[in-house]
Amino acid sequence: MQHVNISQLLKELSDLSESEINIDNFLKEIDVFNLASIDQLRKACGNERQAKAILLKISNVAIGKYQYLRGHSRLIAKPFGLIVDPCNACPLACPGCIHRKTNSDQSNIDWVAGYLSQNTLDQLLNKFGPYAINTQYFNWGEPLLNKNTPQYIRESRRFLMRTSISSNFSVPFCAEALVASGLDYLVVSLDGATADTYNKYRINGNFELVLSNISNVVEARRKLKSKTPYLVWQFLLFDHTQAEADLAEQIAERIGVDKINFAQPYDVSRYNAAINLPEKSLVRHRVFNMQIGSAQQSLANAIADLHPNIDEQWEILWQSQIVDCHTEHRDSTTCRWLYQDMVMDATGRILPCCFDPIREPTSIFGNIHTDIDPFNSINYLTSRKYFSRQRRIAHATACAACTENNSTPNINTTHLAPYFFYAGLTKNCFEDLANSNIFNWGD
């Protein structure tokens, strides 16, 4: 078999993505890249479906970069990050959250009750799973309220995606089921080292239950001989919590978390005048355990049951999906969220990002049950056009009311290259993958 230098092909694709090549010819080059690479990658991985999944994801990132740089409003690329709420509810009422109970500015929040069903998740994963690199099973709800969350994590891993959740951990759940799911990354929100301090912000939370749940997960990992999930204690530095940071660090080391992260929170004083930011936040982190080998263990478990939909999507050439992409601009900025991620609530409603779901102007961009192509719904098209027409457009969406600056992409080698190493690529196959510009969407 003729050796194919995949690194060189990647470099050529990256150069093409930034050149004057038209979309039709670029997609031809993507198909050539995939066909030229599959045999070598299959040999390197030892698993044909794994090789197909990796190439689908690489080519999707490349096409996404091409379309992002040109401000296309209609996309051929699929979202490579999926953000899913297993449950739209939360038992806590933290200030600033949409689940807070006593604020007068809730009338414009558009949030409905519901639990994620297997059917709803299947529709999302069958459309986008072969192309996406990670599923984040959390947004506004508490993921562990849904008893099926471990099963949903397993389903994402069948598409060779990394998985993560962030939880308040103040609910009962089966720690062994969560560990056995193959979850890669787990963030526990615990702001305080004593119950009194914790409950000032985490209203309705149970401090002792959180600590007990952490211990149960650590024990479940030991029992199941698992290095995952990588367990992070996230501690928000408010004025009333910062004094307990050192004690929290001691507790974290004692109970067996892998890392504690002291983070800067949003200012929520407008919702609760007693919750303020400190004059100087002592942001830092401490790592107790690197869990070396966790990625290899996670990959070995995932590739044993990869989804057959990967084979089906592999048979569809990118060039056959050509559409009028409506290039709207080349020089002006746009929002990276509209090109990289898709957010879905537990009922199947599609949102553009993780910010507050609002009624007017709407942040509901579609529905996985009713839209054939939810990533190109009318609200997605409108929002992408909004940035390219000097913000003069009649049909406004929530993007018109956004105060965040997302014009600079955080899509780069630091975020994407580690995934492909996780997915089974080695230096023997992708010698210079970490330096490939195909993963850098910025300047």
Side-chain angles (χ1 to χ4, degrees), residues 8 32 35 38 43 98 148 155 170 214 218 238 293 352 381:
Q8 180 60 33
V32 168
L35 293 175
I38 184 62
K43 182 178 179 181
I98 64 171
N148 294 321
E155 288 299 312
S170 190
I214 291 174
V218 172
F238 293 108
L381 298 179

Side-chain angles (χ1 to χ4, degrees), residues 9-213:
L9 290 175
L10 271 176
K11 181 182 184 304
E12 292 172 5
L13 278 184
S14 180
D15 292 342
L16 282 173
S17 72
E18 299 176 21
S19 73
E20 297 300 321
I21 190 172
N22 64 38
I23 183 68
D24 188 57
N25 287 329
F26 185 70
L27 293 178
K28 285 181 184 177
E29 294 296 331
I30 291 287
D31 288 330
V32 168
F33 165 77
N34 283 345
L35 293 175
S37 305
I38 184 62
D39 286 343
Q40 183 183 345
L41 193 54
R42 181 194 299 116
K43 182 178 179 181
C45 295
N47 184 304
E48 182 171 6
R49 192 169 287 171
Q50 178 188 1
K52 290 176 179 178
I54 291 170
L55 289 173
L56 283 173
K57 295 170 196 297
I58 287 177
S59 56
N60 184 56
V61 170
I63 296 167
K65 176 181 180 178
Y66 178 95
Q67 297 199 274
Y68 173 84
L69 292 177
R70 289 156 180 79
H72 287 173
S73 56
R74 184 177 295 277
L75 302 186
I76 298 166
K78 281 65 171 173
F80 58 80
L82 303 179
I83 301 173
V84 182
D85 258 317
C87 177
N88 279 3
C90 180
L92 274 59
C94 306
C97 180
I98 64 171
H99 299 290
R100 59 190 184 271
K101 308 298 184 184
T102 58
N103 296 278
S104 59
D105 60 346
Q106 292 284 76
S107 60
N108 199 36
I109 295 296
D110 189 358
W111 200 242
V112 295
Y115 286 81
L116 181 66
S117 69
Q118 185 68 55
N119 176 59
T120 300
L121 180 65
D122 286 346
Q123 293 192 56
L124 180 75
L125 294 183
N126 286 335
K127 286 182 183 292
F128 303 117
Y131 307 95
I133 67 175
N134 67 278
T135 309
Q136 173 181 307
Y137 278 106
F138 64 95
N139 189 26
W140 287 107
E142 168 49 55
L144 296 179
L145 283 176
N146 191 326
K147 303 303 181 185
N148 294 321
T149 293
Q151 173 59 29
Y152 299 156
I153 292 167
R154 283 192 290 272
E155 288 299 312
S156 284
R157 287 171 48 74
R158 295 188 68 201
F159 289 92
L160 203 61
M161 282 189 275
R162 299 192 76 176
T163 55
S164 61
I165 68 171
S166 179
S167 170
N168 59 54
F169 251 37
S170 190
V171 295
F173 66 92
C174 178
E176 284 195 25
L178 187 64
V179 172
S181 73
L183 176 68
D184 294 293
Y185 199 79
L186 169 61
V187 177
V188 178
S189 298
L190 179 55
D191 319 306
T194 62
D196 287 344
T197 297
Y198 165 79
N199 284 115
K200 288 180 181 178
Y201 178 68
R202 299 289 172 181
I203 297 170
N204 299 333
N206 185 327
F207 179 78
E208 295 300 331
L209 178 59
V210 177
L211 291 180
S212 176
N213 282 334

Side-chain angles (χ1 to χ4, degrees), residues 81-85 111 136 138-140 335-345 349-358 362-365 375 380 383 387 397-404 406:
L82 303 179
I83 301 173
V84 182
D85 258 317
W111 200 242
Q136 173 181 307
F138 64 95
N139 189 26
W140 287 107
C335 178
R336 58 181 169 80
W337 277 93
L338 297 173
Y339 292 81
Q340 72 179 49
D341 294 314
M342 173 175 282
V343 179
M344 186 179 79
D345 77 0
R349 300 188 309 168
I350 302 299
L351 300 92
C353 64
C354 64
F355 298 128
D356 288 9
I358 57 176
T362 184
S363 60
I364 307 304
F365 275 34
F375 205 40
Y380 262 114
S383 297
F387 287 95
T397 68
C399 296
C402 184
T403 59
E404 299 292 324
N406 289 301

